[in-house]
Amino acid sequence: MRVTVVGAGMVGVSCALALQQKGLAVTLVDRLPPGSETSHGNAGVLTPSSLIPFNNPALWQQLPALLRGKNPGFRYKLPYLVGQMAWAARFLAHSRPPHFEKTVAALDALIGLSRGIHHDWLQQAGIRHRMRDDGWIFLYRSEAAWQSGAWARDVYKKYGVTFETLEFIDLQSLEPALQPIFAKGVWFPGAGSVDDPAEVVRAYARLFADRGGVWRQSEVMGLRPSSDGGWTVLGATGPLCGGDQVVLALGPFSRAFLSQQGVMKLPMAFERGTHMHYAPGPVALRRPIYDTAGGYVLSPMSRGWRLTTGVELNALQAPTPNEPMIQAEKRAREALTMGAALDTQIWQGSRPTLPDSRPMIGACPDHPGLWLALGHQHIGFSTGPGTGELLADLMLGHTPKLDPVPFSPDRFTFVR
């Protein structure tokens, strides 16, 4: 069986590797080198704590402040939000407990499966040194803020996510760089993090190529059913490659591509985020930290300290805003001493989010031979390998290692 995977972010590369490991002949194609788009810019954290999505039961209580722009981790453009009201209504509806519980259970299984595969692939790709196994930390600037997260800690306990509550003296023992502005912290010792997410994707892509996989760098303009029952992938000047099966893993670009092909209109919105790198301060930062009041994550990377901002609901191609990074830098400099900016411009990427915060993994409805692996919101880096494994099992008719139903592409009603 010949398979073409369209999209070379963490999810697409993971699908290519997983399918190859099942004995299939795989071609991977994208317009840019692997790991160049959304997968390039995340905080590099691989953690079981990511099982809680943004649309959770606490969202209803937070909503008035979010809409007033009082949360530094969330911004939105009103015209865009108005144009996405159908998505927003579904997104809010899925924060209700029954929907939330289903999503948490599904994401917990996908994250757990992915974590083991990540460890295997890091070793096989010769980049195990890029992974740190010392966890990450949530920081709370007040006792009240810490208390407001009690419901989330109950969820962690329910799903066996290991964490420790820390007073400031304990925080400073783990991270001496921190200033005494935090009342408490939560350390997730079972989390890992990498020092260059894009390089991890590139290393996985090299592993795929070293094992005989075919890489094609080209703009993909469309898909066409072929006469033999498979699919032809079209480039700017004609056919690029083909396969008995095609996997679409284009992340935030999936919505426009599938609509242009007349396949479906995805109920997808874009949670955009930015990052910049800064020179490390005089005291080392040992692991990623999330300042819950500041709305940013700061991660030690090979290039320096990566400062990532929160969510901006806006159009995919809207201009990159400066304000989130300005505010994040201000808050980060309150928390610890860091050096000058190392980047000349702000990097921006978009997290593709479906109404239930679960990715689509499986066969595309009404289009035999077309498979979807998209919509991973903030956690594509943590869930890519498990996505590839699940999709490969479904494609080959094997018994999957987790329940595929919560990720089924036919769970929404689409306009085709």
Side-chain angles (χ1 to χ4, degrees):
M1 186 187 296
R2 299 172 301 121
V3 182
T4 295
V5 178
V6 181
M10 174 56 80
V11 173
V13 170
S14 294
C15 289
L17 255 179
L19 289 162
Q20 183 186 61
Q21 287 185 331
K22 303 287 187 181
L24 303 184
V26 184
T27 298
L28 178 66
V29 59
D30 203 339
R31 66 189 182 98
L32 294 175
S36 297
E37 302 272 14
T38 306
S39 294
H40 171 80
N42 58 75
V45 181
L46 304 170
T47 174
S49 62
S50 294
L51 78 166
I52 296 180
F54 187 70
N55 55 338
N56 57 67
L59 181 59
W60 290 96
Q61 184 178 355
Q62 300 166 354
L63 196 58
L66 291 174
L67 294 177
R68 292 197 304 269
K70 299 298 183 181
N71 188 313
F74 176 83
R75 291 174 172 83
Y76 67 95
K77 292 298 182 182
L78 185 59
Y80 176 76
L81 187 58
V82 170
Q84 300 297 320
M85 288 307 294
W87 172 88
R90 282 177 158 183
F91 188 78
L92 285 170
H94 279 94
S95 68
R96 300 290 189 186
H99 299 289
F100 170 75
E101 292 290 344
K102 185 175 183 179
T103 294
V104 169
L107 295 182
D108 179 56
L110 188 60
I111 291 167
L113 177 60
S114 297
R115 183 72 187 276
I117 300 172
H118 261 305
H119 278 281
D120 290 343
W121 287 356
L122 288 165
Q123 193 71 37
Q124 294 166 22
I127 57 166
R128 183 62 182 84
H129 62 282
R130 293 201 173 276
M131 170 75 88
R132 296 176 295 254
D133 291 310
D134 47 8
W136 79 316
I137 299 175
F138 286 16
L139 299 169
Y140 299 88
R141 297 194 180 204
S142 68
E143 183 74 23
W146 182 79
Q147 291 290 350
S148 70
W151 70 272
R153 293 190 290 275
D154 288 340
V155 175
Y156 299 143
K157 291 175 184 175
K158 178 178 179 180
Y159 286 90
V161 178
T162 302
F163 66 90
E164 295 182 23
T165 300
L166 306 175
E167 303 294 333
F168 180 73
I169 189 171
D170 306 310
L171 285 171
Q172 202 163 44
S173 176
L174 280 178
E175 293 293 349
L178 291 176
Q179 297 295 320
I181 63 171
F182 299 104
K184 274 189 170 67
V186 175
W187 176 37
F188 297 92
S193 60
V194 300
D195 67 358
D196 190 332
E199 179 53 33
V200 170
V201 179
R202 288 192 289 265
Y204 288 176
R206 289 194 296 270
L207 180 63
F208 164 76
D210 289 345
R211 292 174 171 175
V214 177
W215 160 247
R216 297 287 302 275
Q217 184 172 335
S218 178
E219 186 86 37
V220 174
M221 305 304 294
L223 300 173
R224 183 178 66 203
S226 53
S227 57
D228 60 1
W231 290 86
T232 300
V233 179
L234 305 173
T237 59
L240 271 178
C241 53
D244 303 299
Q245 315 284 327
V246 169
V247 179
L248 188 71
L250 283 172
F253 308 102
S254 301
R255 177 178 173 176
F257 185 84
L258 285 171
S259 179
Q260 290 162 5
Q261 300 307 303
V263 175
M264 64 174 61
K265 292 186 178 179
L266 284 174
M268 176 183 286
F270 309 114
E271 298 182 63
R272 308 195 322 163
T274 60
H275 85 227
M276 285 187 68
H277 293 92
Y278 294 81
V283 182
L285 183 66
R286 300 169 179 170
R287 55 182 64 77
I289 57 172
Y290 168 42
D291 184 345
T292 58
Y296 66 83
V297 172
L298 190 65
S299 296
M301 296 282 180
S302 58
R303 174 167 168 72
W305 289 356
R306 177 177 290 183
L307 182 65
T308 64
T309 60
V311 169
E312 183 205 33
L313 288 179
N314 202 351
L316 183 62
Q317 303 297 342
T320 302
N322 294 322
E323 186 62 22
M325 185 56 63
I326 292 171
Q327 292 302 316
E329 180 181 343
K330 178 182 176 182
R331 291 298 189 99
R333 291 189 183 280
E334 295 170 356
L336 74 181
T337 301
M338 62 185 190
L342 300 175
D343 299 329
T344 57
Q345 62 184 20
I346 298 171
W347 178 90
Q348 178 180 278
S350 296
R351 300 118 171 182
T353 303
L354 299 170
D356 57 6
S357 292
R358 280 180 254 136
M360 287 184 181
I361 309 169
C364 181
D366 300 334
H367 291 78
L370 180 60
W371 298 78
L372 305 180
L374 52 90
H376 289 70
Q377 39 109 355
H378 298 253
I379 58 173
F381 195 74
S382 290
T383 56
T387 295
E389 183 73 11
L390 175 58
L391 185 134
D393 282 340
L394 293 172
M395 187 180 292
L396 292 169
H398 296 171
T399 301
K401 298 173 181 63
L402 52 82
D403 183 4
V405 173
F407 306 107
S408 174
D410 63 5
R411 67 188 189 269
F412 296 113
T413 300
F414 299 107
V415 178
R416 295 182 171 86

